[in-house]
Amino acid sequence: MRRFPLLVLLSMTLVFTSTVAQENDVPKNIADSVGGALRYTEGQFLGVAEAMPENKYAFVPTSGNFKGVRSFAEQVKHVACANIAFFNEIEGKTPPEHCEKGGPSDAKTKAELVKYLRDSFDYGNRVLGTINAQNALQRVNGPYAGPNSRLGMAVAAVWHVADHYGQIVEYLRMNGIDPPTTVQSGLAVR
């Protein structure tokens, strides 16, 4: 019985310490709130783009209902173009046309596509850093998730990357490759 109060005290200390640590980790502004999610999805998507061997970048699933889907390379190029489009709209710029088909970039090789993708995330992170409490709800127009607010457009950009991440993970697995996040976390594929 004497151990019970000690266990309660230790538990409360751990909860308090954990709560204080978590409060310090909470984003302090709008850009950091959405930025954390963008950086996380960026890491996941880039990890898969880098894990796929170059000779598999032309891979298109054939078994199942995959008629007319993008190749792995086209998925990567589409996401890069769309990142630029979403964040162009936040800045009030004209976004690239035809991102659904990869847009105007000439990137073709794995190295070129990964660079295009990285550059699109770098650009998105810079633009995201300009969103604050004063301008977050400013109207944004355009074909990519518009009309919307600046904040809404940034959230749509994160959602879009996450959506395509799910698709390219499947492409990776169809080629016998475990996604880097699965490998890093030590999860077994069942």
Side-chain angles (χ1 to χ4, degrees):
M1 283 294 201
R2 290 182 179 198
R3 289 185 184 166
F4 183 73
L6 181 59
L7 288 174
V8 170
L9 180 62
L10 284 173
S11 296
M12 288 175 32
T13 302
L14 287 173
V15 168
F16 175 76
T17 304
S18 175
T19 302
V20 169
Q22 289 174 359
E23 285 177 11
N24 291 335
D25 293 340
V26 173
K28 304 291 187 252
N29 57 51
I30 292 169
D32 288 346
S33 293
V34 179
L38 181 61
R39 285 185 296 280
Y40 182 74
T41 56
E42 170 185 352
Q44 287 184 309
F45 200 95
L46 276 166
V48 172
E50 291 169 341
M52 183 66 98
E54 183 159 16
N55 66 341
K56 298 286 187 178
Y57 257 61
F59 174 77
V60 176
T62 55
S63 63
N65 189 15
F66 290 100
K67 185 177 180 189
V69 299
R70 295 178 179 105
S71 69
F72 187 89
E74 289 168 334
Q75 290 268 12
V76 171
K77 193 171 186 180
H78 165 69
V79 167
C81 185
N83 284 345
I84 293 167
F86 286 125
F87 290 102
N88 274 174
E89 288 183 358
I90 290 171
E91 286 193 304
K93 296 178 180 176
T94 302
E97 292 184 1
H98 307 295
C99 285
E100 70 282 356
K101 296 179 181 179
S105 172
D106 292 333
K108 287 185 177 59
T109 67
K110 175 182 176 177
E112 292 169 341
L113 289 165
V114 169
K115 181 181 182 333
Y116 182 37
L117 185 62
R118 275 188 196 285
D119 291 349
S120 77
F121 280 118
D122 289 346
Y123 170 63
N125 283 304
R126 280 192 311 274
V127 173
L128 188 58
T130 68
I131 299 175
N132 57 45
Q134 292 74 39
N135 67 21
L137 298 178
Q138 285 179 349
R139 184 181 174 96
V140 172
N141 292 307
Y144 300 98
N148 211 328
S149 66
R150 290 169 56 106
L151 178 58
M153 189 65 69
V155 170
V158 173
W159 166 84
H160 183 259
V161 174
D163 178 55
H164 285 280
Y165 169 74
Q167 294 174 43
I168 67 170
V169 161
E170 184 63 23
Y171 286 30
L172 205 65
R173 289 190 184 279
M174 287 177 169
N175 282 281
I177 303 167
D178 291 332
T181 53
T182 300
V183 174
Q184 291 165 356
S185 60
L187 297 174
V189 178
R190 298 177 206 171

